[in-house]
Amino acid sequence: MLPGALTLSLRFAGGISWERTRRLAEPSAHEDDLRQLAYQLMDAAGLQRGRLTGLVLRGEDLVDAGQVAEQIRLDGARKSRLVAEQAADRIRAKFGDRAIGPADVFRRGS
């Protein structure tokens, strides 16, 4: 099986279109590999002041049988916040709702 690929298609005001495809160096199911490839495609487009009217990022050959397709998140900070929220939820479930919260709410111990 060929490694997965991403294709970035852009449409600009005035009807001009641009499309490029890049393949992963080797098969990968890691979101970070796909995110890095997507950023490389966007950098290759050299977007500066063009007025975009359409943007499509399409994945090809990314899912093997038995795997579940998942949306690519291009925002790494969002993923970090979600991981932190899940950890906070687990702490609250184990130790109660007041076990974790904003630092300015807690009183300093004596």
Side-chain angles (χ1 to χ4, degrees), residues 80-98:
S80 296
R81 284 191 305 273
L82 291 174
V83 169
E85 287 174 13
Q86 290 171 353
D89 289 344
R90 287 193 305 272
I91 291 169
R92 286 186 190 103
K94 186 171 185 176
F95 299 106
D97 290 339
R98 299 194 68 213

Side-chain angles (χ1 to χ4, degrees), residues 44-72:
L47 298 175
Q48 292 182 8
R49 291 186 163 212
R51 290 183 46 214
L52 283 176
T53 59
L55 181 146
V56 176
L57 183 62
R58 183 177 64 245
E60 302 167 13
D61 303 322
L62 298 177
V63 180
D64 289 333
Q67 289 183 332
V68 176
E70 177 179 319
Q71 184 171 342
I72 300 172

Side-chain angles (χ1 to χ4, degrees), residues 8-107:
L8 178 63
S9 303
L10 304 174
R11 191 173 55 247
F12 297 91
I16 299 170
S17 295
W18 183 93
E19 183 174 291
R20 295 292 184 275
T21 300
R22 295 248 171 115
R23 289 208 162 271
L24 292 164
E26 57 189 31
S28 174
H30 294 286
E31 186 176 314
D32 289 337
D33 294 338
L34 298 174
R35 183 182 302 113
Q36 182 179 8
L37 192 60
Y39 284 141
Q40 288 173 2
L41 280 166
M42 289 183 219
D43 288 344
L47 298 175
Q48 292 182 8
R49 291 186 163 212
R51 290 183 46 214
L52 283 176
T53 59
L55 181 146
V56 176
L57 183 62
R58 183 177 64 245
E60 302 167 13
D61 303 322
L62 298 177
V63 180
D64 289 333
Q67 289 183 332
V68 176
E70 177 179 319
Q71 184 171 342
I72 300 172
R73 295 176 196 89
L74 297 177
D75 179 6
R78 179 180 180 274
K79 185 172 182 178
S80 296
R81 284 191 305 273
L82 291 174
V83 169
E85 287 174 13
Q86 290 171 353
D89 289 344
R90 287 193 305 272
I91 291 169
R92 286 186 190 103
K94 186 171 185 176
F95 299 106
D97 290 339
R98 299 194 68 213
I100 189 169
D104 61 347
V105 175
F106 292 99
R107 294 179 30 190

